[in-house]
Amino acid sequence: MRIGIIGYQGDVSEHAEILASMKRQYKRDIEVVLVKSRESLMSVAGLIIPGGESTTIFRLLKEYSLFDAVAERVRSGMPVMGTCAGLILISRDNPSDRVRSLNLIDAKIRRNAYGRQGESFIESLDIDGIGRFDAVFIRAPIIESVGSNVTVMAKYNGLPVMIRDNNVLGLTFHPELTKDARIHDYFMDMIGRRGYVSIAKREWYVADLI
Ligand code: GLN
């Protein structure tokens, strides 16, 4: 299975390493592809958009003509996992004028909502279908609200921190910064499954086009 990681900036090698560790640990057949071009994007079965700096990743996705191409592939069913800055990018909306969201999951996001780098923290979460997980939050965004199609898989302080709608998975924290590969393994299962409801048919998405 070819798994892509948007490879311009951020936690690219950390995601690549945890995927590599899963070949041994979970006996997964995984080939990691750093996605920086349309050709590499077209070759993968699933995509990770890493944490990092969402304004930079946004700018480079535009510059290399990948912004619309990623949206198109996800809307036609390719699974995507966005972590932290990656979640900001896949969300429906964020109030910053320096980064536009891809509008792939019905969530409103506020960037840097816990404060600066120094306000980063680790919290043990209870995640649906996964169990307890030590989650690393670094200059994390907040998910302010989600639409009715979105499943909230974990909360912290009463707010969602892990959400899913069919083939789209978003986290405000960094699963690649622990040795625990269970969230990546969950994402691999999403890629292995078929029959997602196309998010392009979701009412909120269609309404946005009008
Ligand atoms: N604050 C960053 C942003 O807005 C995200 C932080 C992260 O990915 N760790 O892009």
Side-chain angles (χ1 to χ4, degrees):
M1 196 152 61
R2 285 168 75 93
I3 310 298
I5 305 169
I6 293 290
Y8 300 124
Q9 191 270 339
D11 280 354
V12 180
S13 58
E14 288 82 353
H15 276 291
E17 273 163 33
I18 205 158
L19 290 174
S21 80
M22 293 172 68
K23 289 195 216 170
R24 297 184 297 274
Q25 219 183 327
Y26 293 86
K27 305 269 179 284
R28 290 274 193 187
D29 172 25
I30 295 171
E31 185 188 342
V32 177
V33 177
L34 299 192
V35 171
K36 296 183 186 177
S37 68
R38 219 188 144 81
E39 292 66 44
S40 48
L41 174 68
M42 292 309 160
S43 77
V44 297
L47 183 69
I48 294 174
I49 308 183
E53 179 51 50
S54 56
T55 55
T56 306
I57 300 172
F58 166 67
R59 213 164 29 76
L60 290 163
L61 284 173
K62 288 297 262 184
E63 199 170 313
Y64 289 87
S65 305
L66 275 191
F67 190 80
D68 293 330
V70 167
E72 251 167 56
R73 281 225 60 196
V74 175
R75 282 179 192 139
S76 54
M78 179 185 69
V80 67
M81 172 164 79
T83 60
C84 204
L87 166 68
I88 296 167
L89 282 157
I90 62 173
S91 69
R92 175 179 183 177
D93 203 9
N94 83 85
S96 166
D97 50 12
R98 294 174 56 223
V99 47
R100 219 172 79 222
S101 292
L102 285 154
N103 194 8
L104 297 172
I105 188 161
D106 189 1
K108 297 204 169 167
I109 308 290
R110 186 149 46 89
R111 294 178 57 218
N112 301 331
Y114 297 99
R116 302 175 71 85
Q117 197 87 357
E119 266 77 56
S120 300
F121 55 95
I122 300 180
E123 186 66 38
S124 170
L125 303 176
D126 192 13
I127 302 177
D128 280 358
I130 290 177
R132 291 226 78 91
F133 193 94
D134 285 337
V136 181
F137 293 81
I138 302 173
R139 268 198 324 136
I142 274 181
I143 300 174
E144 289 186 319
S145 63
V146 293
S148 55
N149 295 315
V150 173
T151 303
V152 175
M153 295 179 63
K155 283 185 176 181
Y156 168 64
N157 260 353
L159 289 174
V161 290
M162 182 162 174
I163 54 176
R164 177 173 172 187
D165 182 5
N166 278 279
N167 56 325
V168 184
L169 181 67
L171 293 70
T172 65
F173 54 93
H174 290 267
E176 74 287 2
L177 294 183
T178 54
K179 295 255 175 282
D180 191 336
R182 283 177 297 154
I183 290 179
H184 287 75
D185 191 53
Y186 177 89
F187 182 55
M188 295 303 119
D189 280 345
M190 282 173 59
I191 298 170
R193 256 191 56 204
R194 282 164 204 282
Y196 293 113
V197 173
S198 168
I199 56 166
K201 296 207 173 66
R202 294 297 200 201
E203 267 164 49
W204 59 267
Y205 175 65
V206 174
D208 269 7
L209 293 180
I210 296 169

Short mmCIF file of all heavy atoms in Angstrom, two decimals, residues 9 11 50-57 83-86 88 99 111-113 115 117 136-141 172-174 176-177, ligand 1:
data_model
loop_
_atom_site.label_atom_id
_atom_site.label_comp_id
_atom_site.label_asym_id
_atom_site.label_seq_id
_atom_site.Cartn_x
_atom_site.Cartn_y
_atom_site.Cartn_z
N GLN A 9 7.10 20.51 4.44
CA GLN A 9 7.50 21.15 5.69
C GLN A 9 6.80 20.44 6.85
O GLN A 9 5.72 19.88 6.66
CB GLN A 9 7.07 22.63 5.65
CG GLN A 9 7.62 23.55 6.73
CD GLN A 9 6.71 23.60 7.96
OE1 GLN A 9 5.54 23.30 7.88
NE2 GLN A 9 7.29 23.96 9.09
N ASP A 11 6.37 17.78 10.23
CA ASP A 11 6.73 16.47 10.77
C ASP A 11 6.71 15.37 9.72
O ASP A 11 6.10 14.31 9.92
CB ASP A 11 5.70 16.10 11.86
CG ASP A 11 6.02 16.80 13.16
OD1 ASP A 11 7.07 17.45 13.24
OD2 ASP A 11 5.21 16.67 14.10
N PRO A 50 0.89 16.59 7.38
CA PRO A 50 1.52 16.61 8.72
C PRO A 50 1.29 17.91 9.47
O PRO A 50 0.81 18.90 8.91
CB PRO A 50 3.01 16.45 8.38
CG PRO A 50 3.17 17.07 7.04
CD PRO A 50 1.87 16.82 6.31
N GLY A 51 1.70 17.87 10.75
CA GLY A 51 1.77 19.10 11.52
C GLY A 51 2.99 19.89 11.08
O GLY A 51 3.90 19.36 10.44
N GLY A 52 2.98 21.14 11.42
CA GLY A 52 4.06 22.03 11.00
C GLY A 52 3.54 23.44 11.04
O GLY A 52 2.91 23.84 12.02
N GLU A 53 3.71 24.15 9.97
CA GLU A 53 3.21 25.52 9.89
C GLU A 53 2.20 25.57 8.74
O GLU A 53 2.57 25.46 7.58
CB GLU A 53 4.39 26.48 9.67
CG GLU A 53 4.00 27.93 9.55
CD GLU A 53 3.09 28.40 10.69
OE1 GLU A 53 3.41 28.17 11.87
OE2 GLU A 53 2.05 29.00 10.38
N SER A 54 0.93 25.70 9.11
CA SER A 54 -0.12 25.58 8.08
C SER A 54 -0.01 26.66 7.01
O SER A 54 -0.31 26.41 5.84
CB SER A 54 -1.50 25.62 8.73
OG SER A 54 -1.67 26.78 9.50
N THR A 55 0.46 27.86 7.39
CA THR A 55 0.57 28.92 6.38
C THR A 55 1.61 28.55 5.33
O THR A 55 1.41 28.79 4.14
CB THR A 55 0.93 30.27 7.04
OG1 THR A 55 2.13 30.10 7.81
CG2 THR A 55 -0.17 30.75 7.96
N THR A 56 2.70 27.93 5.77
CA THR A 56 3.77 27.52 4.83
C THR A 56 3.30 26.37 3.95
O THR A 56 3.49 26.37 2.73
CB THR A 56 5.02 27.09 5.63
OG1 THR A 56 5.37 28.14 6.51
CG2 THR A 56 6.18 26.76 4.72
N ILE A 57 2.69 25.35 4.59
CA ILE A 57 2.24 24.19 3.81
C ILE A 57 1.18 24.65 2.79
O ILE A 57 1.20 24.25 1.63
CB ILE A 57 1.70 23.06 4.73
CG1 ILE A 57 2.81 22.60 5.69
CG2 ILE A 57 1.18 21.89 3.91
CD1 ILE A 57 2.36 21.62 6.77
N THR A 83 -2.97 16.13 10.68
CA THR A 83 -2.59 16.27 12.08
C THR A 83 -2.16 17.71 12.34
O THR A 83 -1.28 18.23 11.66
CB THR A 83 -1.45 15.30 12.47
OG1 THR A 83 -0.30 15.56 11.67
CG2 THR A 83 -1.87 13.86 12.26
N CYS A 84 -2.79 18.36 13.30
CA CYS A 84 -2.46 19.72 13.73
C CYS A 84 -2.52 20.72 12.56
O CYS A 84 -3.61 21.03 12.12
CB CYS A 84 -1.11 19.71 14.45
SG CYS A 84 -0.94 21.09 15.58
N ALA A 85 -1.41 21.19 12.03
CA ALA A 85 -1.48 22.07 10.87
C ALA A 85 -2.25 21.39 9.73
O ALA A 85 -3.01 22.03 8.99
CB ALA A 85 -0.08 22.46 10.40
N GLY A 86 -2.07 20.06 9.62
CA GLY A 86 -2.79 19.29 8.59
C GLY A 86 -4.30 19.34 8.80
O GLY A 86 -5.07 19.39 7.83
N ILE A 88 -5.87 21.88 10.22
CA ILE A 88 -6.28 23.24 9.82
C ILE A 88 -6.53 23.25 8.31
O ILE A 88 -7.51 23.80 7.82
CB ILE A 88 -5.18 24.26 10.21
CG1 ILE A 88 -5.03 24.32 11.73
CG2 ILE A 88 -5.50 25.66 9.63
CD1 ILE A 88 -3.79 25.06 12.23
N VAL A 99 -4.07 31.40 5.67
CA VAL A 99 -4.19 30.00 5.23
C VAL A 99 -5.64 29.70 4.89
O VAL A 99 -6.54 29.96 5.67
CB VAL A 99 -3.64 29.02 6.29
CG1 VAL A 99 -4.12 29.32 7.67
CG2 VAL A 99 -3.96 27.58 5.94
N ARG A 111 -6.74 28.60 14.98
CA ARG A 111 -5.30 28.29 15.07
C ARG A 111 -4.70 28.81 16.38
O ARG A 111 -5.15 29.81 16.91
CB ARG A 111 -4.54 28.93 13.91
CG ARG A 111 -4.88 28.38 12.55
CD ARG A 111 -4.11 29.14 11.47
NE ARG A 111 -2.68 29.07 11.70
CZ ARG A 111 -1.84 30.08 11.47
NH1 ARG A 111 -2.28 31.22 11.01
NH2 ARG A 111 -0.56 29.94 11.71
N ASN A 112 -3.65 28.14 16.82
CA ASN A 112 -2.83 28.59 17.97
C ASN A 112 -3.68 28.96 19.18
O ASN A 112 -3.37 29.90 19.91
CB ASN A 112 -1.99 29.81 17.57
CG ASN A 112 -1.08 29.49 16.39
OD1 ASN A 112 -0.66 28.36 16.22
ND2 ASN A 112 -0.77 30.49 15.58
N ALA A 113 -4.74 28.18 19.40
CA ALA A 113 -5.74 28.59 20.38
C ALA A 113 -5.29 28.40 21.83
O ALA A 113 -5.86 29.00 22.73
CB ALA A 113 -7.04 27.83 20.13
N GLY A 115 -2.22 29.11 22.80
CA GLY A 115 -1.12 30.04 23.05
C GLY A 115 0.13 29.65 22.27
O GLY A 115 0.06 28.93 21.28
N GLN A 117 4.33 28.38 21.65
CA GLN A 117 5.04 27.09 21.74
C GLN A 117 5.16 26.60 23.20
O GLN A 117 5.00 25.42 23.47
CB GLN A 117 6.44 27.28 21.14
CG GLN A 117 7.15 26.00 20.79
CD GLN A 117 6.79 25.50 19.39
OE1 GLN A 117 5.97 26.09 18.70
NE2 GLN A 117 7.40 24.43 18.99
N VAL A 136 0.33 14.49 22.10
CA VAL A 136 1.25 15.63 22.18
C VAL A 136 0.62 16.83 21.45
O VAL A 136 0.36 16.75 20.24
CB VAL A 136 2.60 15.28 21.51
CG1 VAL A 136 3.57 16.45 21.63
CG2 VAL A 136 3.20 14.02 22.12
N PHE A 137 0.37 17.89 22.19
CA PHE A 137 -0.23 19.10 21.62
C PHE A 137 0.85 20.18 21.51
O PHE A 137 1.43 20.58 22.52
CB PHE A 137 -1.36 19.62 22.51
CG PHE A 137 -2.57 18.72 22.58
CD1 PHE A 137 -2.59 17.61 23.42
CD2 PHE A 137 -3.70 18.99 21.81
CE1 PHE A 137 -3.71 16.78 23.50
CE2 PHE A 137 -4.82 18.17 21.88
CZ PHE A 137 -4.82 17.07 22.72
N ILE A 138 1.12 20.67 20.31
CA ILE A 138 2.14 21.71 20.12
C ILE A 138 1.51 22.88 19.35
O ILE A 138 1.12 22.72 18.19
CB ILE A 138 3.35 21.18 19.32
CG1 ILE A 138 3.97 19.98 20.04
CG2 ILE A 138 4.39 22.29 19.12
CD1 ILE A 138 5.06 19.29 19.26
N ARG A 139 1.43 24.01 19.97
CA ARG A 139 0.76 25.17 19.36
C ARG A 139 -0.49 24.71 18.62
O ARG A 139 -0.72 25.01 17.44
CB ARG A 139 1.72 25.89 18.40
CG ARG A 139 2.47 27.00 19.11
CD ARG A 139 3.08 28.02 18.18
NE ARG A 139 3.59 27.45 16.96
CZ ARG A 139 3.40 27.99 15.76
NH1 ARG A 139 2.71 29.09 15.63
NH2 ARG A 139 3.92 27.44 14.69
N ALA A 140 -1.28 23.95 19.35
CA ALA A 140 -2.39 23.24 18.71
C ALA A 140 -3.56 24.16 18.39
O ALA A 140 -3.78 25.16 19.09
CB ALA A 140 -2.86 22.12 19.63
N PRO A 141 -4.32 23.80 17.36
CA PRO A 141 -5.57 24.52 17.10
C PRO A 141 -6.69 23.97 17.99
O PRO A 141 -6.55 22.91 18.59
CB PRO A 141 -5.84 24.19 15.64
CG PRO A 141 -5.22 22.85 15.44
CD PRO A 141 -4.05 22.75 16.39
N THR A 172 -6.04 17.30 16.41
CA THR A 172 -5.36 18.56 16.76
C THR A 172 -3.97 18.29 17.35
O THR A 172 -3.22 19.21 17.60
CB THR A 172 -6.18 19.39 17.78
OG1 THR A 172 -6.25 18.68 19.00
CG2 THR A 172 -7.57 19.70 17.28
N PHE A 173 -3.65 16.99 17.59
CA PHE A 173 -2.36 16.64 18.22
C PHE A 173 -1.48 15.86 17.25
O PHE A 173 -1.82 15.71 16.07
CB PHE A 173 -2.60 15.87 19.53
CG PHE A 173 -3.47 14.66 19.38
CD1 PHE A 173 -2.92 13.41 19.16
CD2 PHE A 173 -4.86 14.76 19.45
CE1 PHE A 173 -3.72 12.28 19.03
CE2 PHE A 173 -5.68 13.64 19.31
CZ PHE A 173 -5.09 12.41 19.09
N HIS A 174 -0.33 15.36 17.77
CA HIS A 174 0.72 14.78 16.91
C HIS A 174 0.96 13.30 17.24
O HIS A 174 1.85 13.00 18.03
CB HIS A 174 2.04 15.52 17.14
CG HIS A 174 2.04 16.91 16.61
ND1 HIS A 174 2.50 17.22 15.35
CD2 HIS A 174 1.66 18.07 17.17
CE1 HIS A 174 2.39 18.52 15.15
NE2 HIS A 174 1.88 19.06 16.24
N GLU A 176 2.47 11.21 15.54
CA GLU A 176 3.78 10.79 15.00
C GLU A 176 4.92 11.08 15.97
O GLU A 176 6.04 10.67 15.75
CB GLU A 176 4.04 11.47 13.64
CG GLU A 176 4.39 12.95 13.67
CD GLU A 176 3.20 13.87 14.01
OE1 GLU A 176 2.09 13.37 14.25
OE2 GLU A 176 3.42 15.09 14.03
N LEU A 177 4.62 11.82 17.06
CA LEU A 177 5.69 12.16 18.00
C LEU A 177 5.77 11.21 19.18
O LEU A 177 6.52 11.44 20.12
CB LEU A 177 5.52 13.60 18.51
CG LEU A 177 5.70 14.68 17.44
CD1 LEU A 177 5.58 16.07 18.04
CD2 LEU A 177 7.05 14.52 16.72
N1 GLN B 1 0.18 26.54 14.92
C1 GLN B 1 0.50 25.83 13.74
C2 GLN B 1 -0.25 26.39 12.54
O1 GLN B 1 -1.12 27.15 12.65
C3 GLN B 1 0.16 24.36 13.87
C4 GLN B 1 1.06 23.75 14.90
C5 GLN B 1 1.43 22.35 14.63
O2 GLN B 1 1.18 21.77 13.58
N2 GLN B 1 2.11 21.79 15.59
O3 GLN B 1 0.08 26.03 11.46
#
